[in-house]
Amino acid sequence: IDLDKVLIAGGSAGARVALAVGLAERSDQVAGVISLLGSIDHNESLVSLSDPPFVLFNGVNDPLVDYSFALALADAAQAFDIPFGFYSGNNGHDATDFFLPNANGSSPFDASLAFFYEQLDLGQTTFSVVPEASSVTMISLGVGGLLCY
């Protein structure tokens, strides 16, 4: 595993942990962050120029995670010129739609992996959320996870 190309990812509470670790505590040791249905409080001081790229997946009508927190993170990333992706849906606190293929056959999650492939300068590729068709390995870490290329 190339430790310079490790992404941290999490869903819900795990996304909160991934964002806290990737954008605050260990931003120099993480190549990117994927937050699936999570966020951190309105605190733009958690985002700095040295932070890695990140992708946010949030539901506009999520009853557990305030959508405005994700908007604030996206605004802060834009202010600091940090590459980021932001996918929103009307699916509340359910990530299913982010994994479903659209008309061209790829999902928002596929697009986020392609985004990181580009950000980490790994060349061109296509992704699928089907494990055997993907070049990404997921190592489970309880409420979070690491995506390792």
Side-chain angles (χ1 to χ4, degrees):
I1 296 175
D2 183 346
L3 296 180
D4 291 330
K5 297 185 178 175
V6 173
L7 305 177
I8 188 166
S12 194
R16 185 177 178 92
V17 172
L19 286 165
V21 170
L23 299 182
E25 297 172 19
R26 303 281 184 188
S27 65
D28 59 330
Q29 297 175 347
V30 175
V33 179
I34 297 177
S35 169
L36 188 61
L37 303 174
S39 192
I40 49 181
D41 295 338
H42 285 262
N43 188 347
E44 294 180 16
S45 66
L46 289 178
V47 178
S48 69
L49 288 171
S50 62
D51 284 341
F54 61 88
V55 174
L56 306 171
F57 294 92
N58 288 86
V60 175
N61 301 312
D62 190 330
L64 302 176
V65 178
D66 189 335
Y67 187 71
S68 67
F69 292 174
L71 291 174
L73 275 176
D75 288 345
Q78 194 166 23
F80 283 105
D81 202 27
I82 297 169
F84 72 99
F86 188 24
Y87 300 91
S88 60
N90 293 319
N91 46 349
H93 201 71
D94 178 358
T96 305
D97 290 349
F98 296 126
F99 293 94
L100 297 176
N102 56 26
N104 69 9
S106 67
S107 71
F109 191 76
D110 294 335
S112 76
L113 295 178
F115 166 79
F116 280 113
Y117 220 76
E118 180 182 317
Q119 292 300 313
L120 300 177
D121 198 25
L122 299 175
Q124 296 294 323
T125 192
T126 57
F127 292 95
S128 171
V129 294
V130 179
E132 60 271 13
S134 176
S135 62
V136 176
T137 303
M138 178 64 120
I139 302 171
S140 177
L141 295 176
V143 296
L146 293 174
L147 292 174
C148 306
Y149 290 96

